[in-house]
Amino acid sequence: MKISKYRRKTFESDIELKLNFFGIGLFKIRSYIFFLDHILSQFINYSFFDFYLRCYSDLKIDSHHIIEDISISLAKILKNNFFNRYSSYFICMDDSFAIMSIDYCKRIFYYDNIKKNDFDFYLIREFFLNFTKNFSCCLHIYVINYINIHHLIECLFKLFGLLFYLIKKKSIIFSTKGYL
């Protein structure tokens, strides 16, 4: 059992995270954005981390700050663990089909091919972009097909969890340099 703790307190939010790296997918999430709680639970379920999240934020203004700060906090707490370098996976879930790849190389690059630019998806994109910056990785998201945006977002967070489930399984550094 390896439990990490992280707290991020700003003028916009107060976030407390606990993560058991070798968990079984148990979670307690209180962001007060119920859809965010739901999709974060998808990530935890598929990554097999145990996870506790408690946060307070300026939700009267909007949900941007809390999503951004949760993403940053999650990246910071995960950065304290050892991961295999590469992982890719794809999911076909209901009407959504997507591919996600991560390269934990300590360089930052984010790409997605999603054409939808409504506010909800903008926040999801912000989540992944801020995670990429703070985890220091390259993250590629390719959406092949979707009809329902809710299913697509669930699909992406399940994929995200599967990527971490896969890269925590081995302790191999793939680099011609011998280190990252």
Side-chain angles (χ1 to χ4, degrees):
M1 180 182 289
K2 180 180 180 185
I3 297 176
S4 303
K5 298 176 183 180
Y6 185 82
R7 182 150 187 214
R8 178 177 173 85
K9 191 170 184 173
T10 68
F11 291 124
E12 299 160 339
S13 67
D14 180 5
I15 295 171
E16 181 185 359
L17 265 163
K18 293 177 188 167
L19 184 129
N20 177 6
F21 188 70
F22 299 108
I24 58 172
L26 301 174
F27 57 85
K28 183 175 182 181
I29 301 170
R30 299 254 193 261
S31 72
Y32 299 98
I33 303 171
F34 301 116
F35 184 63
L36 179 63
D37 294 353
H38 171 64
I39 59 176
L40 285 173
S41 72
Q42 304 294 311
F43 166 70
I44 297 306
N45 242 346
Y46 280 75
S47 64
F48 284 87
F49 296 130
D50 291 340
F51 187 71
Y52 169 81
L53 169 69
R54 187 246 348 123
C55 52
Y56 302 102
S57 184
D58 56 357
L59 289 176
K60 289 179 248 168
I61 298 170
D62 71 13
S63 51
H64 172 86
H65 296 127
I66 197 167
I67 290 172
E68 177 182 48
D69 288 341
I70 288 171
S71 172
I72 291 167
S73 300
L74 182 62
K76 300 267 186 194
I77 202 169
L78 285 173
K79 209 171 190 178
N80 295 329
N81 295 287
F82 184 81
F83 291 103
N84 192 9
R85 181 169 175 183
Y86 300 109
S87 185
S88 294
Y89 212 81
F90 61 90
I91 288 182
C92 173
M93 188 192 98
D94 296 327
D95 54 280
S96 301
F97 180 43
I99 301 168
M100 193 179 286
S101 291
I102 193 168
D103 178 3
Y104 183 42
C105 59
K106 300 195 178 14
R107 290 184 296 272
I108 299 164
F109 183 78
Y110 174 79
Y111 173 81
D112 71 53
N113 68 336
I114 301 152
K115 304 295 185 234
K116 187 123 177 115
N117 282 321
D118 67 357
F119 188 66
D120 288 338
F121 204 82
Y122 164 77
L123 293 175
I124 299 306
R125 182 177 275 138
E126 282 293 307
F127 178 91
F128 288 119
L129 180 61
N130 280 298
F131 181 87
T132 300
K133 288 178 188 173
N134 289 277
F135 192 63
S136 301
C137 68
C138 298
L139 183 66
H140 293 256
I141 301 171
Y142 292 93
V143 174
I144 309 301
N145 188 52
Y146 76 96
I147 295 170
N148 183 319
I149 192 74
H150 176 96
H151 291 161
L152 175 61
I153 294 169
E154 278 185 329
C155 178
L156 294 178
F157 275 81
K158 287 176 181 180
L159 267 171
F160 196 50
L162 282 166
L163 290 184
F164 277 92
Y165 174 71
L166 293 171
I167 65 172
K168 75 179 186 178
K169 288 184 70 92
K170 296 180 184 172
S171 57
I172 301 167
I173 298 175
F174 291 107
S175 174
T176 54
K177 298 173 192 160
Y179 64 91
L180 294 176

